[in-house]
Amino acid sequence: MPNIVKNTTTPGILDLIAPHSCRGCGHIGNVICERCKKNILASHHNFCPSCKTPNTNGICQKCQTKSPLPTFVFSERSDLLSGLIYDYKYNSVRALARPLAEFIDYSLPHYDEKIYLVPLPTISRHIRSRGLDHTYAIAKQLAKLHQNYYVSKLLLRNNSSVQVGANAKDRLSQAKTAYSLNPKTPIEKDATYLLIDDVWTTGASMKSAAKLLQESGVKSINLAILAVSV
Ligand SMILES: [Zn+2]
Ligand SMILES: [Zn+2]
């Protein structure tokens, strides 16, 4: 029987013809060397992405609302991390999916229960032009790190509006209609859903995605963010 399953993990052309060098120090070998990775890990501090107040449990004492969603931030978007995210997204350096997933993992608490990782979906036009569904690829790598983690394509991207450059008000109104629930994906209301995004700018995307899940009856929603714009 011919193998017609599309292999979405095929490395990009650049990955095949050029050996990786560390984006931090230039060391030949991996796309990020162990030493530079450790330096980035050392920059981790969990804080509220809205008011920047540090916390340890993902709950902000300042912004705490009636039903706060535990929010785990790896770091600010600065220095090397910012460059890595840029290379990953815009230069489609697929090999970065794994270390970026490891950074998110570093910021997360230990979960005993079943976790559904829900990447915030990207505009399909961007996925096509980059050849990479970047948030989904990070979620897939994260799921490989824990037996109780599963990737769920629960969210669909509706419109093709682009948030880059839009002001906070425009971002909010765009985000409100940006996503919908995938009718083909069953919801386990008692499982924990972990929404994943690479960059938090105003939080409009995360908030509207979380709202959709809340409205669908999911009781436990956590948010994971790789980097917060400063
Ligand atoms: Zn290095
Ligand atoms: Zn806060």
Side-chain angles (χ1 to χ4, degrees):
M1 205 175 121
N3 180 10
I4 52 163
V5 178
K6 196 177 164 210
N7 183 0
T8 52
T9 58
T10 308
I13 296 284
L14 271 177
D15 289 347
L16 291 173
I17 57 171
H20 285 305
S21 61
C22 173
R23 262 54 187 174
C25 65
H27 189 87
I28 300 290
N30 291 322
V31 71
I32 180 87
C33 76
E34 285 305 312
R35 208 175 55 148
C36 290
K37 201 168 31 172
K38 269 189 194 147
N39 285 341
I40 295 175
L41 287 172
S43 73
H44 165 66
H45 57 292
N46 200 55
F47 58 94
C48 168
S50 300
C51 73
K52 313 286 192 289
T53 305
N55 67 62
T56 51
N57 58 359
I59 305 287
C60 179
Q61 296 302 327
K62 267 193 184 172
C63 305
Q64 199 166 25
T65 55
K66 230 194 300 175
S67 51
L69 302 178
T71 302
F72 302 97
V73 169
F74 174 67
S75 183
E76 282 152 358
R77 188 185 188 178
S78 57
D79 306 328
L80 181 53
L81 181 61
S82 179
L84 293 180
I85 294 170
Y86 186 91
D87 261 356
Y88 178 55
K89 268 171 101 161
Y90 302 108
N91 295 327
S92 301
V93 181
R94 286 162 189 273
L96 282 166
R98 175 70 180 217
L100 295 179
E102 287 173 6
F103 295 152
I104 290 179
D105 190 51
Y106 197 75
S107 69
L108 294 174
H110 175 80
Y111 294 106
D112 282 320
E113 72 270 35
K114 192 177 196 178
I115 298 293
Y116 282 111
L117 307 171
V118 183
L120 257 61
T122 309
I123 299 168
S124 47
R125 177 164 49 90
H126 288 176
I127 296 172
R128 280 196 304 274
S129 66
R130 293 171 190 165
L132 173 69
D133 190 344
H134 71 280
T135 319
Y136 177 65
I138 288 177
K140 276 210 310 195
Q141 290 298 327
L142 189 52
K144 285 184 184 172
L145 300 175
H146 300 274
Q147 281 186 335
N148 54 329
Y149 285 19
Y150 302 86
V151 181
S152 167
K153 281 196 161 182
L154 180 56
L155 290 174
L156 296 175
R157 181 86 193 200
N158 287 338
N159 55 25
S160 55
S161 58
V162 180
Q163 294 214 322
V164 177
N167 64 35
K169 205 177 147 208
D170 289 345
R171 278 172 174 263
L172 193 64
S173 65
Q174 284 172 9
K176 271 182 185 161
T177 54
Y179 309 108
S180 60
L181 293 171
N182 186 346
K184 290 182 192 152
T185 306
I187 295 173
E188 279 183 43
K189 289 182 182 171
D190 294 320
T192 292
Y193 282 76
L194 182 65
L195 286 171
I196 296 175
D197 206 3
D198 56 342
V199 175
W200 170 292
T201 306
T202 62
S205 304
M206 269 296 201
K207 285 172 191 165
S208 76
K211 195 160 171 261
L212 272 177
L213 263 68
Q214 278 176 318
E215 286 168 357
S216 73
V218 174
K219 295 184 196 89
S220 178
I221 302 166
N222 287 198
L223 312 181
I225 298 142
L226 177 61
V228 172
S229 291
V230 282

